[in-house]
Amino acid sequence: MASARLDFALLLEPLGFAKVLEWIFAIFAFATCGGFQGETILLVSCQGMENKTVTAAFAYPFSKHNYMKDIIFAFLNTVVFSAPDPNFYGGTWTDVYLEGNFCSAQFFVTLAVLVFLYRIAALVVYIGYKHVYNQNRRFPLTDLVITVITAFLWLVSTSAWAKVLADIKMFTGAGTESCKAPGTTCHFAAVTIMGALNMSVVFGLINMILWGGNIGFVYKGTNLHNQPNRISLSPAIYQSQRGG
């Protein structure tokens, strides 16, 4: 088994520094999305009652399993607007559920956590076993394939999460339509600021750019980049040997 040769100076090189940034921004991505908790408030008026407060809390993962027949790949977000008392609106109030397919939030956070764990392992190999990494041709090629796939997954997950976030804002904000009973009027009052969720989308885009830009650095360390250089140098070496 090869012994470790720690060289932290490698972290100052473009490839090493990019790996550190990818690790840091993966933390930012899942922390800003996975830890979010919010609440939206409506003011409801009906016969004999005005501006009664109705609240609904929502938080990551913004979802729960649907009915058993749809449990595979089906997630149902449930934000419930409940009456403040059982006799509200003459006892005829029914809870309103805001529903949607919000599983993209889990996909986004899961990807960020997996990237975080992978980058820890990759950094250990890079700064401690760089000599083994360079000697084995499969390591650079594997790293290249994983980098390309991860960059694509960041693009997909961030795009899907941005769309879902827009839906969450619509369902829990001023655009909600929660009261449909005759003679009942609902007015949007307030909702928790979603700055952290907005930043999670930004961090997703940054991760996509970092992984996409890192493809070139990883590619230069593979045989795919070095082999053409050897072929192009071979005629020149041959001519110099004949001239000598």
Side-chain angles (χ1 to χ4, degrees):
M1 181 177 180
S3 59
R5 302 174 187 175
L6 294 179
D7 186 3
F8 291 97
L10 293 172
L11 299 179
L12 300 179
E13 296 180 356
L15 181 57
F17 188 65
K19 292 179 183 293
V20 173
L21 290 179
E22 290 165 352
W23 176 66
I24 293 174
F25 280 99
I27 298 175
F28 290 160
F30 70 73
T32 51
C33 180
F36 181 82
Q37 292 183 342
E39 184 180 76
T40 186
I41 302 173
L42 296 180
L43 297 178
V44 183
S45 299
C46 57
Q47 295 177 354
M49 296 183 182
E50 292 185 0
N51 295 335
K52 289 292 183 178
T53 300
V54 180
T55 63
F58 57 98
Y60 176 84
F62 312 104
S63 60
K64 72 176 183 179
H65 287 297
N66 200 346
Y67 298 106
M68 292 300 295
K69 64 180 181 180
D70 298 325
I71 199 168
I72 302 177
F73 299 114
F75 296 90
L76 177 65
N77 178 70
T78 304
V79 177
V80 186
F81 288 95
S82 299
D85 63 74
N87 298 320
F88 187 65
Y89 190 46
T92 60
W93 172 276
T94 56
D95 292 345
V96 178
Y97 295 81
L98 303 182
E99 300 177 355
N101 189 352
F102 297 152
C103 60
S104 295
Q106 293 171 304
F107 177 36
F108 180 83
V109 172
T110 300
L111 175 63
V113 172
L114 292 177
V115 167
F116 165 75
L117 296 175
Y118 171 72
R119 266 296 165 247
I120 291 178
L123 284 171
V124 170
V125 172
Y126 189 72
I127 65 177
Y129 298 90
K130 187 64 164 36
H131 56 291
V132 178
Y133 180 90
N134 290 334
Q135 292 173 359
N136 194 322
R137 297 179 180 180
R138 294 182 180 179
F139 285 159
L141 288 175
T142 302
D143 194 13
L144 177 61
V145 172
I146 293 176
T147 301
V148 172
I149 293 175
T150 305
F152 175 74
L153 289 178
W154 273 122
L155 172 62
V156 174
S157 65
T158 302
S159 301
W161 169 229
K163 173 60 172 64
V164 166
L165 179 55
D167 292 340
I168 292 174
K169 290 179 178 179
M170 180 182 67
F171 292 153
T172 61
T176 184
E177 297 181 0
S178 300
C179 301
K180 298 181 180 180
T184 302
T185 304
C186 285
H187 297 285
F188 170 76
V191 67
T192 303
I193 297 176
M194 302 185 191
L197 298 184
N198 293 332
M199 288 305 302
S200 69
V201 175
V202 174
F203 290 136
L205 293 174
I206 292 175
N207 277 294
M208 180 192 66
I209 294 173
L210 286 173
W211 283 83
N214 199 25
I215 293 175
F217 295 122
V218 178
Y219 173 75
K220 290 180 180 179
T222 65
N223 291 330
L224 300 177
H225 177 263
N226 296 328
Q227 187 173 3
N229 291 337
R230 295 195 189 100
I231 295 176
S232 62
L233 290 174
S234 297
I237 295 174
Y238 177 74
Q239 292 293 335
S240 62
Q241 290 177 347
R242 289 191 60 186

